[in-house]
Amino acid sequence: MSLLEVKNLTKTFGGLTAVDDLTFNIEKDEILSLIGPNGAGKTTTFNMITGFLNPDRGKIIFNDIDITSKEPHNIAELGLIRTFQKTNIFPDATVYENIKLAHFKSSKYSILDILIRNKKFNKTEKRIKEKTNEIMEYFNLSEEKDKKAYNLAYGRKRILEIAIGMAASPKLLLLDEPVAGLNPKESKEVMELIYDIRNKGITILLVEHDMSVVTNVSDRIVVINFGEKICDGDCEYVTSDEEVIKAYLGDDIDA
């Protein structure tokens, strides 16, 4: 059984069909890239999978649960976590605070527990602190733990955003253009992180325009154009497909 099943997903805005009868699946422990030219419907698809948009038609099944049109926080609680094209961090909070806040699924205490700081509260806080420190160390952020997020270099902000996603204990991590704006050295660092995260048993769905990243990290690639799926397969198959080449280069491909 696939970890994620997208079935006949359709979304229109006025007279424009952004996603048209889209169907694909993601297997557990797979790195799947969703690619296509600008305006192909990739981010719209991401937004429907994560509950930020409701589809007009179709179903989304995650871990055998129908999550179609569920609220984003309910979807996140199931273990489907996403990042965004633009860094989605709290700029005035420290690196430590950003990551700690993401442990929302571990914070199962009440307002009363917080007010009286009872044994349940203290035990949970200790566990969250330990996990936060582990994630900072894993992402090489420990030396910047007390730095305000807005003071981080852009590449470090992207790393922090992935760290925040990991703090939310994902089963499936959706990365929306994680190397956008990064230099080659930073992009390589992110690619290595993606591999390492998958090796920890976390499945990854990736939207990325940098084809060198896509071809290097992906187990499989799904290509969409004008909201429709035009190809699905491994890197060699997809990059040699004529319809994919036309989508990126236009009809005149003889040259």
Side-chain angles (χ1 to χ4, degrees):
M1 182 67 67
S2 300
L3 181 63
L4 181 76
E5 297 176 81
V6 173
K7 300 180 177 181
N8 308 111
L9 212 58
T10 300
K11 183 66 181 179
T12 59
F13 298 99
L16 174 67
T17 301
V19 177
D20 189 4
D21 200 36
L22 179 62
T23 295
F24 67 90
N25 66 292
I26 304 174
E27 302 302 323
K28 189 177 183 305
D29 298 332
E30 184 176 39
I31 300 175
L32 177 74
S33 286
L34 181 67
I35 70 169
N38 288 331
K42 303 181 296 296
T43 297
T44 300
T45 301
F46 253 43
N47 286 338
M48 286 190 286
I49 291 172
T50 52
F52 289 87
L53 280 175
N54 290 330
D56 297 323
R57 293 192 303 277
K59 281 190 175 183
I60 305 161
I61 310 297
F62 174 63
N63 210 19
D64 293 337
I65 298 171
D66 188 343
I67 62 170
T68 313
S69 302
K70 283 186 178 291
E71 293 296 321
H73 68 276
N74 295 134
I75 293 172
E77 286 175 353
L78 294 172
L80 197 158
I81 306 295
R82 72 168 294 177
T83 66
F84 293 81
Q85 286 182 10
K86 296 181 179 179
T87 53
N88 189 43
I89 59 178
F90 295 101
D92 292 318
T94 65
V95 167
Y96 177 85
E97 290 165 343
N98 266 277
I99 296 173
K100 182 183 177 184
L101 285 168
H103 286 96
F104 62 93
K105 289 197 290 184
S106 300
S107 306
K108 299 301 183 183
Y109 38 63
S110 66
I111 296 295
L112 180 61
D113 295 329
I114 296 171
L115 290 175
I116 64 176
R117 295 182 173 266
N118 58 15
K119 184 177 180 180
K120 179 181 179 182
F121 172 83
N122 290 326
K123 185 177 180 180
T124 303
E125 281 292 293
K126 181 182 178 182
R127 184 173 68 249
I128 290 174
K129 182 178 179 179
E130 289 171 350
K131 287 184 177 180
T132 300
N133 286 328
E134 286 174 7
I135 288 175
M136 285 193 302
E137 184 175 351
Y138 176 73
F139 286 93
N140 295 318
L141 289 165
S142 297
E143 292 184 2
E144 299 165 292
K145 65 176 293 187
D146 296 320
K147 186 179 287 187
K148 298 287 188 182
Y150 68 80
N151 282 325
L152 294 176
Y154 180 75
R156 302 301 289 164
K157 289 178 182 177
R158 301 297 291 186
I159 296 294
L160 174 59
E161 186 176 22
I162 298 173
I164 291 169
M166 286 293 288
S169 302
K171 293 183 176 71
L172 173 60
L173 183 62
L174 282 68
L175 302 176
D176 197 350
E177 299 192 27
V179 304
L182 302 188
N183 62 42
K185 181 181 178 182
E186 292 168 333
S187 294
K188 183 180 179 182
E189 182 182 358
V190 171
M191 282 193 289
E192 290 171 352
L193 278 172
I194 290 171
Y195 269 129
D196 207 22
I197 290 168
R198 190 271 298 276
N199 290 338
K200 289 181 176 294
I202 297 167
T203 307
I204 294 173
L205 174 58
L206 177 73
V207 162
E208 183 52 61
H209 284 290
D210 189 327
M211 288 304 295
S212 66
V213 173
V214 170
T215 55
N216 274 292
V217 304
S218 305
D219 298 310
R220 188 161 54 92
I221 301 171
V222 171
V223 189
I224 60 175
N225 193 27
F226 298 111
E228 297 181 3
K229 183 173 75 173
I230 61 172
C231 196
D232 183 343
D234 62 25
C235 296
E236 184 178 357
Y237 176 77
V238 167
T239 55
S240 62
D241 184 86
E242 283 195 15
E243 197 168 353
V244 174
I245 296 169
K246 285 181 180 180
Y248 277 94
L249 301 180
D251 291 330
D252 186 12
I253 63 171
D254 291 337

